């Protein structure tokens, strides 16, 4: 009766876990509601162009506008903004778009190598959108004039010296004020996602002038991706070489302005896959600026580079350079920029504390993908490599288990002899282990080794854009997303989507079956109640793992199959272990039958 009560309790707890998993994550990690914008503008930005009030919508992993009304309005507003003219096209292998001559804004950029959806005809991912649109996101450099000096502003119409910005043809914008100061911004774009902006002021007047340079990235949080406890999305920067993930949009909104200590190596905003960041050029002794984050209206945020006031004598020119990264967080690209001077830019990928282990796993997975051209196969090959490296450990585990089985009779004697003296019993057991050369913890080592590998692969699948939209075979079109087929709606035949805790797909079922088969091969040295709980564990894990990335389930299924094959092989090498396991199972069955017979049945009542 006690065993039955324990099994029922275990089943209830498992059901609560399955139902509460999704609700618990939503409760403990709620997403802030989007608020209405008020129309405040950033310094140097067009005034009164904040987006319209936003409805309350939860962000997604991909980010982007979620409300249908916002999507429709963005399409309309974007078309109007781009049709207004006064633009210089941007045409590079990584970036397409245009620069707005009115105000000198970089406010129209799409990522040529990444599409919004799996559809071949899907448009490229849009990162920057003009001020005033629902998806507002742009960058700007400029100056604030001091002591009455006229500097270019949001209504300044710049003059360009070329027709198109390409890697081979930089563009320079110029504007001259009435007192003889000429302001210029030179734009140069590379093959990937970096635009270099060189600001200069030439003083042809008769007196010294002072200006204060600035650089900023302005964006709405309506397009932000999901910010969770293990993957950061929001304000991000490196100060004095240390990358900080401490602030999110709600923190900046609460504080109004957040000014981290130290000098800014780079500063901007990150989503899970995308990054917009300003990187000051401090070569040749250039000033290293400060940086801060500001909430300029309820759903509009700004990252600033703050430079000191600069004096320009008559006949002199002052110059400074800032790099704008606006693109996908491709690890190889980020590391290449690091070598060019962008301090720790690759850490904008939120590897976390275990990046020392995750980055090698990513490197191996990416290398395998380049060899076989299929990320699913690369995951399977990675699993084979990991299990192969751990095979000697597994051999030692089974040898240790065999040794533990061999000393079971001696253990029972000690336990019976010293049943009233637990301290003496433990001392004698430890002495027995030492005399027999047995380590009772050896069987746990492979599990502990698997945990960091599993976590590293999980982070790689969640973080790295290299996995995004990568297919496997058949119905698996995106290994970074959950299995799209669900049993409860007959694999899409019924017109509804099951809730996440019931969205059981083919991969989740295969995971449950392989875990069940794996547990069946393990020695059963436990009481019947524990056995019943363990028999439910594979099916509980089937529910828990179903919402995870398909690539992660493929890894786990492959690992289970390899474990089953490995167990069969090692059992053949250690027949005494298999024989002892069978004997233990018979003993457990006899005990269960005896307890069942000894339990009095309740008399029937009318």
């Amino acid at each position: 009766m006690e065993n039955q009560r324990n099994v029922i309790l275990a089943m209830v707890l498992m059901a609560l876990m399955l139902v509460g998993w999704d609700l618990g994550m939503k409760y403990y990690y709620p997403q802030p509601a989007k608020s209405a914008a008020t129309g405040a503008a950033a310094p140097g930005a067009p005034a009164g162009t904040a987006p319209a009030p936003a409805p309350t919508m939860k962000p997604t992993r991909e980010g982007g506008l979620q409300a249908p009304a916002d999507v429709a309005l963005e399409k309309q507003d974007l078309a109007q903004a781009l049709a207004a003219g006064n633009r210089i096209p941007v045409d590079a292998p990584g970036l397409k778009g245009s620069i707005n001559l009115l105000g000198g804004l970089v406010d129209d950029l799409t990522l040529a190598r990444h599409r919004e959806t799996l559809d071949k005809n899907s448009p490229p991912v849009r990162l920057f959108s003009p001020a005033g649109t629902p998806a507002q996101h742009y960058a700007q450099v400029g100056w604030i004039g001091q002591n009455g000096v006229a500097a270019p502003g949001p209504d300044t119409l710049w003059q360009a010296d070329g027709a198109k910005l390409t890697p081979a043809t930089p563009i320079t914008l110029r504007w001259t004020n009435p007192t003889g100061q000429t302001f210029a911004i030179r734009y140069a774009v590379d093959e990937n996602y970096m635009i270099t902006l060189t600001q200069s002021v030439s003083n042809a007047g008769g007196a010294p002038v002072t200006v204060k340079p600035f650089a900023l990235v302005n964006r709405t949080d309506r397009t932000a991706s999901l910010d969770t406890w293990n993957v950061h999305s929001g304000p991000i920067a490196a100060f004095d070489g240390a990358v900080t993930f401490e602030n999110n949009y709600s923190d900046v909104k609460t504080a109004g302005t957040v000014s981290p200590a130290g000098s800014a190596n780079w500063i901007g905003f990150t989503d899970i896959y995308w990054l917009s960041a300003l990187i000051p050029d401090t070569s040749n002794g250039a000033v290293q600026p400060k940086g801060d984050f500001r909430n300029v209206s309820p759903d509009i945020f700004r990252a600033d580079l703050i430079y000191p006031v600069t004096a320009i004598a008559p006949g002199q020119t002052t110059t400074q350079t800032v790099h704008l990264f606006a693109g996908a967080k491709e690890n190889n690209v980020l590391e290449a920029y690091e070598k060019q001077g962008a301090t720790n830019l690759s850490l904008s990928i939120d590897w976390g504390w275990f990046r020392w282990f995750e980055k090698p796993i990513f490197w191996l997975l990416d290398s395998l993908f380049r060899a076989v051209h299929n990320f699913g196969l690369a995951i399977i090959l990675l699993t084979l490599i990991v299990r192969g490296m751990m095979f000697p450990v597994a051999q030692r585990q089974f040898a240790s288990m065999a040794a533990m089985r061999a000393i079971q009779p001696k253990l029972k004697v000690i336990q019976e002899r010293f049943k009233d003296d637990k301290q003496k019993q433990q001392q004698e057991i430890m002495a027995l282990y030492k005399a027999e050369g047995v380590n009772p913890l050896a069987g746990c080592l492979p599990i502990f080794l698997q945990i960091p590998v599993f976590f590293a692969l999980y982070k790689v699948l969640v973080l790295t854009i290299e996995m995004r939209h990568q297919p496997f075979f058949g119905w698996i079109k995106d290994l970074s997303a959950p299995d799209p087929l669900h049993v409860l709606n007959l694999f899409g035949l019924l017109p509804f989507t099951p809730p996440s805790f019931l969205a059981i797909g083919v991969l989740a079922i295969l995971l449950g079956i392989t875990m069940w088969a794996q547990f069946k091969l393990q020695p059963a040295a436990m009481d019947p109640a524990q056995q019943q709980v363990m028999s439910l564990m594979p099916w509980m894990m089937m529910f828990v793992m179903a919402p995870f990335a398909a690539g992660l389930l493929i890894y786990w299924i492959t690992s289970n199959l390899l474990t089953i094959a490995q167990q069969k092989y090692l059992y053949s090498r250690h027949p005494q272990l298999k024989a002892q396991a069978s004997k233990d199972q018979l003993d457990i069955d006899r005990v269960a039958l005896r307890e069942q017979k000894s339990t009095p049945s309740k008399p029937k009542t009318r």
Side-chain angles (χ1 to χ4, degrees), residues 475 505-516 542 557 560-561:
W475 74 99
V506 176
L507 293 179
I509 294 173
L510 291 176
L511 175 65
I513 292 173
T514 55
M515 286 190 71
W516 173 82
M542 177 182 71
I557 292 168
N560 287 346
L561 292 172

Side-chain angles (χ1 to χ4, degrees), residues 144 146-147 209-213 306-311:
I144 299 173
Q146 307 291 300
N147 302 318
V209 296
T210 54
V211 295
K212 185 178 178 64
I306 304 169
Y307 290 91
V309 171
T310 301

Side-chain angles (χ1 to χ4, degrees), residues 354 356-362 364-365 379 381-390 445-461 551-552 555-556 559:
F354 300 103
W356 57 272
F357 189 69
E358 293 161 15
K359 293 193 79 169
I361 289 289
F362 167 75
L364 178 56
L365 184 61
I379 291 172
L381 292 174
L382 173 69
T383 313
L384 287 167
I385 292 172
V386 170
R387 300 298 300 188
M389 293 173 62
M390 292 174 56
L445 183 58
I447 297 175
F448 284 116
L449 290 178
Q450 276 283 80
I451 290 173
V453 176
F454 180 81
F455 182 74
L457 186 62
Y458 164 73
K459 289 282 280 188
V460 166
L461 293 175
L552 195 64
Y555 165 78
W556 203 338
S559 181

Side-chain angles (χ1 to χ4, degrees), residues 98-120:
S98 61
I99 297 171
N100 193 350
L101 293 177
L102 187 65
L105 306 179
V106 182
D107 63 356
D108 169 32
L109 289 179
T110 60
L111 310 183
R113 294 200 285 259
H114 299 278
R115 298 196 173 277
E116 290 183 355
T117 68
L118 289 169
D119 188 347
K120 294 180 180 180

Side-chain angles (χ1 to χ4, degrees), residues 119-135:
D119 188 347
K120 294 180 180 180
N121 297 320
S122 174
V125 168
R126 172 164 290 278
L127 187 64
F128 280 9
S129 194
T133 63

